[in-house]
Amino acid sequence: MEALWFWLLALMLTTYVVLDGFDLGAGIAHLLIAKTEDERKAVLESIGPFWDGNEVWLIAAGGTLFLAFPTLYAASFMGFYLPLIIVLWLLMFRGLSIELRNHAPSPMWLPLWDVCFAGSSALLAVFLGAALGNVVRGVPLDAQQEFFLPLWTDFQPGREPGILDWYTVTVGATAFCALWMHGLLWVERKTSGTLSERASAMARRVALGVAVLTVVVTAATFVVRPEMWQRFADAPWGLVFPVAAVAGLGTVMAGKRPFAGSATYLVGMMLSAAFSLFPVVLPSSTDPALHLTIYNTASGAYSQSIALWWWIPGIVLTTGYFTMLFRKFGSKVS
Amino acid sequence: MDYALALHRFQFAFTITYHYLFPQLTMGLALLIVVLKTLHLRTDDVRYAQAARFWAKIFGINFAFGVVTGIPMEFQFGTNWSRFSKAAGGVIGQTLALEGMYSFFLESTFLGLFLFGEKQLGRIGHWVTAFLVFLGSWLSGFFIIATDAWMQHPVGYTTLPDGRIQLESLSALLLNPWTFWMYLHNMTGSVVTGAFAMMASGAYYLIAGKHVEQGKLFLRIAVPVATVAAIAMLFPTGDGQGKNLAKYQPITLAAAEGLFDTEAGAPIAVLGQPDANRGKLDNPLLIPRMLSMITYQRWDAEVKGLNHFPKDQWPDQIELLYYSFHIMVGLGTIFIGLTVLTSFYLWRGTLFRSRWLLWVLMLAVPFPFIANTAGWFAAELGRQPWLIYGLMKTSEGYSVRVSAGNTLFTTLGFLGMYGLLSILYLFLMQRELEHGPSSEEAAH
């Protein structure tokens, strides 16, 4: 049961990254590819009906984490207090920029929100990547399953690291480029004319950066957490995830169905991370006996099993909503 | 009190109080928009569709503010109340995850369709999206009330030896007797807020001489709704909630009423300032025997005063609890008087000419927000010193590893952020109100 919830949660977070990833990425690319007011409107319109629902995947994943692994939720939210609050502020700024921009079309109002939108999107991508980096690297958990991390210490991923060190910043940079690419490909798909062409050309170049960073981050991960090799050696079927990531990125570079390619890349990367951590959900940087795992953080057998009874119909409904939404707003924006 | 604990409490109280200014309006408006869309379907009168479109815009802005200020709430259970989350996550994780799954996805999907899809969807399709947005927001309210009700009156759980609380029955959690009245009371309160906002806008348009037809329509719809809701706040919902309080939290009742000594035939204090140190109410204005009557339906029934209970069980903010409760009840009483009077004027056909009453209605708009906020203060302060009533003290539930310095840092940040949000909000609402309901066709 614990393993089942682990994978359901991994799937929810992966869905979040793939869906919100394209609107975050569109935000990163916003100022770089959209030059005229019409183009900027087109970028915003391409994500308009989707971004809020996409973000709900993060909230719903948070709720599901709380439900299935409350100890993990409690430990990580206290330990990552500062970056989480900063992420909240960024999410607030970003939501407001998208929603409020078009309420008052004045030459002061519009660029203000455009910059807020692009800036908060970019920082969110870096922070989300760094968050994943922190989970892989581990944190100084104590015997009460608690910790607190400052934003940075000496930028070294040692026993007493900060949120930001050279490793997590590298993961953050990778996430930033990956989502940037993902967003460009979304804009390419959803718009037409010069805007679409510009996005396409930039995506090809960013994809090269993503490829380099993927190699770097993979190497760095095995330096920081060598035992991750072991998981792939024990269960070689797991190699399907990194292979999918590579294939996805290859598809982007080849230029055929590139958006599907970058989605596959993101799924592959996320599930590779999940697979190589399992059954650990938050490693201890000081003592492997203090790792938080799916077993010592679970909410209880009744709680986890009764929740499946409403969770499955819920996810079926949600899939229905999203299918309908993407069909309804499936065409290119004008 | 520990400084860090005090800051965690202040931060959560501030962010949730600010957040709830928006949902109480949108949940009320969601119902009123469904009413307007239904009237449009049944009468084919295009003015109802115009009114619905105007309120949809107001709803959209308020919903966006509700979402951006609501996201922190889901995080703050963990960031600020980590020990509580660890202990109780096995129970309240259910209701919070249910909210994400069943209401947030519903709302976010159909709000977009509702706001932008009027032309494509057709009349019935658009009514359906309005209804689903209403359903989503009211479901969200239910899951939050179910969560809070469990903290007020925990049911359906067992406690493990290590202190963690595990769920034993999901149905008991969802059918908690505390939830029923609290939910109805809270949702009726949001209808009061929504209806007062609609009345105030209507009154404003009549006074200003703009959009007069729409202003009259707003008043014709909102006045009866406000009247029914204001009365229902007292009876049956407030009455039911009060009886739950008397049954399950008698200390809270005593503190909220400012009753220190146990009395047979206890009075109700209309005014007065509690002095918790000396255990008496200064400058009291009392209605004799009334508290006994409304609590136990007997004029001479005994009501336990605070002194009956050990001091370490007393709520730690008796004064604020007392004032919150009295502000809520006092404003609620005034709302009943005002809405009944307005209904009478509307029925006689003189409301639209009675400028003094229109002025009163226009200026009344902040007060339902204050009353709802005061009601929540009464509920949450009344639960103290418990975080989970009888199970976990507030002082045991906070994030001990987050220092006062870090909490103050983010608290100041929230204060700054929300100050900025307030300016933006007032600016945008003023624009929409000035623009008013237009007679244009639906935007595509």
Side-chain angles (χ1 to χ4, degrees):
Chain A
M1 191 57 82
E2 291 92 346
L4 177 62
W5 280 105
F6 175 89
W7 285 109
L8 292 178
L9 200 56
L11 282 177
M12 283 184 94
L13 284 169
T14 305
T15 310
Y16 167 71
V17 169
V18 171
L19 291 178
D20 210 30
F22 74 68
D23 62 67
L24 284 165
I28 298 171
H30 187 51
L31 295 175
L32 302 171
I33 50 169
K35 303 294 181 194
T36 65
E37 173 59 18
D38 280 347
E39 289 175 347
R40 290 196 174 166
K41 271 208 168 121
V43 170
L44 283 162
E45 216 176 296
S46 78
I47 63 167
F50 307 112
W51 76 271
D52 186 25
N54 294 348
E55 207 169 284
V56 172
W57 282 94
L58 180 66
I59 307 300
T64 303
L65 169 67
F66 199 5
L67 158 84
F69 305 108
T71 303
L72 174 64
Y73 170 88
S76 54
F77 277 49
M78 169 158 68
F80 296 133
Y81 180 82
L82 285 175
L84 279 175
I85 301 279
I86 292 170
V87 161
L88 284 177
W89 293 343
L90 292 171
L91 285 173
M92 292 169 86
F93 259 115
R94 185 164 179 275
L96 286 175
S97 344
I98 302 172
E99 286 301 304
L100 304 187
R101 181 189 189 274
N102 291 336
H103 276 282
S106 90
M108 258 163 52
W109 187 260
L110 297 176
L112 175 75
W113 291 118
D114 282 334
V115 170
C116 272
F117 172 50
S120 54
S121 301
L123 283 172
L124 273 169
V126 175
F127 263 98
L128 291 172
L132 183 62
N134 272 275
V135 171
V136 170
R137 180 210 56 206
V139 297
L141 284 156
D142 65 17
Q144 283 171 310
Q145 302 175 308
E146 290 177 348
F147 69 98
F148 183 85
L149 278 189
L151 284 176
W152 59 78
T153 51
D154 55 358
F155 293 95
Q156 296 298 321
R159 291 167 60 88
E160 294 290 334
I163 301 291
L164 299 176
D165 59 36
W166 66 259
Y167 174 69
T168 59
V169 170
T170 310
V171 183
T174 312
F176 173 84
C177 288
L179 297 188
W180 183 12
M181 169 182 83
H182 196 50
L184 285 166
L185 293 170
W186 173 261
V187 175
E188 180 200 355
R189 213 177 109 94
K190 291 291 286 184
T191 62
S192 46
T194 43
L195 178 62
S196 177
E197 285 159 22
R198 221 179 285 145
S200 174
M202 189 181 280
R204 299 288 168 277
R205 276 174 301 177
V206 177
L208 285 176
V210 175
V212 173
L213 279 164
T214 305
V215 174
V216 172
V217 90
T218 307
T221 301
F222 291 119
V223 171
V224 171
R225 189 147 290 284
E227 58 266 43
M228 284 188 137
W229 282 117
Q230 200 53 42
R231 276 284 294 161
F232 288 106
D234 291 347
W237 67 268
L239 287 169
V240 65
F241 301 126
V243 169
V246 171
L249 196 56
T251 317
V252 175
M253 289 168 140
K256 286 201 170 169
R257 298 179 63 84
F259 183 74
S262 76
T264 312
Y265 166 77
L266 291 172
V267 171
M269 291 298 276
M270 286 295 290
L271 293 183
S272 298
F275 174 82
S276 52
L277 276 168
F278 182 90
V280 174
V281 277
L282 189 62
S284 159
S285 59
T286 51
D287 179 2
L290 296 176
H291 285 345
L292 293 186
T293 68
I294 56 173
Y295 305 108
N296 66 14
T297 60
S299 58
Y302 172 77
S303 203
Q304 287 198 344
S305 57
I306 192 84
L308 276 184
W309 286 95
W310 56 258
W311 196 90
I312 292 170
I315 204 80
V316 171
L317 270 177
T318 303
T319 312
Y321 303 155
F322 274 75
T323 313
M324 190 195 68
L325 196 65
F326 277 79
R327 283 234 178 106
K328 198 97 203 161
F329 296 99
S331 53
K332 284 178 187 282
V333 299
S334 48
Chain B
M1 199 191 311
D2 183 353
Y3 186 45
L5 170 61
L7 284 169
H8 282 294
R9 284 181 70 175
F10 177 79
Q11 180 171 96
F12 198 88
F14 171 69
T15 49
I16 201 149
T17 301
Y18 191 89
H19 166 63
Y20 193 61
L21 296 175
F22 304 104
Q24 62 172 296
L25 180 59
T26 50
M27 291 188 298
L29 286 182
L31 178 71
L32 286 161
I33 289 171
V34 171
V35 170
L36 288 170
K37 295 298 294 182
T38 308
L39 286 168
H40 175 56
L41 267 189
R42 293 186 58 164
T43 63
D44 215 12
D45 186 338
V46 71
R47 288 176 306 167
Y48 289 120
Q50 285 164 8
R53 227 168 278 143
F54 170 75
W55 285 103
K57 270 196 281 180
I58 301 286
F59 181 92
I61 294 174
N62 279 280
F63 189 85
F65 276 82
V67 169
V68 297
T69 57
I71 295 172
M73 305 325 306
E74 177 112 13
F75 281 58
Q76 280 179 309
F77 283 104
T79 52
N80 296 57
W81 303 98
S82 175
R83 292 252 166 108
F84 162 69
S85 296
K86 185 176 176 180
V91 179
I92 62 167
Q94 295 277 343
T95 42
L96 293 174
L98 272 162
E99 188 193 22
M101 215 61 179
Y102 281 89
S103 47
F104 291 160
F105 279 126
L106 189 66
E107 281 177 318
S108 62
T109 309
F110 289 99
L111 182 64
L113 286 168
F114 172 66
L115 292 179
F116 304 113
E118 184 170 354
K119 269 200 172 154
Q120 293 161 302
L121 290 165
R123 290 171 30 155
I124 293 178
H126 197 239
W127 183 90
V128 170
T129 59
F131 180 77
L132 290 175
V133 169
F134 158 74
L135 183 70
S137 65
W138 280 52
L139 266 178
S140 175
F142 177 79
F143 291 124
I144 290 303
I145 295 290
T147 307
D148 191 72
W150 185 81
M151 293 161 66
Q152 299 280 356
H153 179 59
V155 290
Y157 68 92
T158 48
T159 309
L160 298 182
D162 66 358
R164 283 186 303 146
I165 302 161
Q166 283 205 330
L167 185 66
E168 215 173 31
S169 162
L170 180 63
S171 58
L173 173 65
L174 295 177
L175 303 174
N176 186 342
W178 195 282
T179 308
F180 182 75
W181 288 119
M182 190 178 183
Y183 181 62
L184 290 181
H185 194 57
N186 185 72
M187 300 319 283
T188 312
S190 81
V191 176
V192 173
T193 300
F196 268 66
M198 196 178 271
M199 287 199 303
S201 317
Y204 167 67
Y205 287 145
L206 260 62
I207 293 168
K210 310 188 290 191
H211 313 295
V212 172
E213 269 310 297
Q214 284 285 327
K216 289 179 179 171
L217 184 145
F218 291 175
L219 283 163
R220 274 197 299 271
I221 305 284
V223 170
V225 173
T227 310
V228 172
I231 293 171
M233 281 312 273
L234 174 67
F235 189 87
T237 68
D239 181 58
Q241 177 78 3
K243 291 202 170 101
N244 268 345
L245 208 58
K247 193 167 164 192
Y248 299 114
Q249 295 185 1
I251 314 179
T252 308
L253 181 71
E257 296 284 3
L259 186 72
F260 287 94
D261 296 317
T262 301
E263 284 181 51
I268 267 190
V270 179
L271 290 174
Q273 295 80 35
D275 182 338
N277 291 333
R278 285 167 49 231
K280 63 187 280 286
L281 199 64
D282 293 338
N283 315 313
L285 178 63
L286 303 174
I287 306 177
R289 294 173 184 275
M290 198 59 173
L291 184 58
S292 293
M293 184 60 193
I294 59 172
T295 315
Y296 299 110
Q297 289 75 51
R298 281 189 295 115
W299 292 111
D300 56 353
E302 184 185 87
V303 182
K304 298 254 188 310
L306 272 172
N307 291 330
H308 178 79
F309 305 98
K311 268 209 166 170
D312 64 351
Q313 309 273 312
W314 290 18
D316 59 349
Q317 310 248 4
I318 289 177
E319 298 83 359
L320 191 54
L321 167 59
Y322 169 89
Y323 290 122
S324 305
F325 184 76
H326 279 74
I327 288 170
M328 171 187 77
V329 174
L331 285 176
T333 312
I334 294 171
F335 295 161
I336 294 175
L338 177 61
T339 52
V340 168
L341 183 73
T342 309
S343 289
F344 180 71
Y345 273 71
L346 182 68
W347 174 65
R348 290 281 303 274
T350 53
L351 173 62
F352 302 145
R353 281 179 278 126
S354 308
R355 287 181 75 85
W356 69 272
L357 187 52
L358 295 174
W359 268 95
V360 172
L361 291 178
M362 184 175 79
L363 296 177
V365 74
F367 293 100
F369 290 94
I370 295 173
N372 274 305
T373 304
W376 270 105
F377 266 70
E380 299 303 285
L381 290 170
R383 197 188 59 232
Q384 304 301 329
W386 301 101
L387 183 46
I388 311 166
Y389 205 80
L391 284 181
M392 182 183 225
K393 290 264 175 74
T394 305
S395 55
E396 298 164 338
Y398 74 107
S399 294
V400 286
R401 297 291 292 268
V402 180
S403 68
N406 281 314
T407 318
L408 187 55
F409 171 74
T410 56
T411 303
L412 293 172
F414 272 115
L415 286 168
M417 273 298 287
Y418 286 7
L420 183 68
L421 287 189
S422 306
I423 296 169
L424 285 170
Y425 178 79
L426 293 175
F427 170 70
L428 288 166
M429 289 303 278
Q430 194 267 344
R431 270 180 61 92
E432 289 302 335
L433 214 55
E434 281 309 305
H435 188 247
S438 66
S439 46
E440 302 154 25
E441 265 303 291
H444 53 85

